[in-house]
Amino acid sequence: MLEIELHRLRHDDLIRRAEAERQVREAVRVRRAARRGAAARGAEPESHTRRRSWFARTA
C-alpha cells in the first residue's frame, strides 16, 4: 500500500512540474513574439540587436 501511495505522489509531482515547465515555455514564447512585434513596428533596430553579416564586406 505504501508503494502505491509513493507512486501516486511521484506521479502527481511530475505532472505539476511538467505543467509548470509548459507555462514557462509559453511565457517565453509570448514575450519573444511581443518583442518581434515591437521590433517590426519600430523604425530602426537597436544597436545591440543588429546581427553581423555572414559574408565579408566587399571593397
Side-chain angles (χ1 to χ4, degrees):
M1 192 66 162
L2 181 63
E3 290 179 19
I4 293 172
E5 288 300 317
L6 285 175
H7 173 73
R8 286 183 185 154
L9 287 173
R10 286 187 196 125
H11 177 264
D12 293 343
D13 185 49
L14 287 173
I15 296 295
R16 278 191 296 275
R17 286 184 187 188
E19 181 60 30
E21 288 179 14
R22 272 189 227 100
Q23 288 176 350
V24 167
R25 282 193 308 267
E26 178 68 16
V28 168
R29 188 186 65 76
V30 167
R31 280 193 306 247
R32 203 174 281 153
R35 231 180 9 241
R36 286 185 190 134
R41 287 188 303 272
E44 192 173 311
E46 297 284 331
S47 63
H48 66 276
T49 59
R50 290 184 185 162
R51 296 183 182 205
R52 188 180 302 199
S53 175
W54 285 90
F55 302 103
R57 296 179 68 177
T58 57

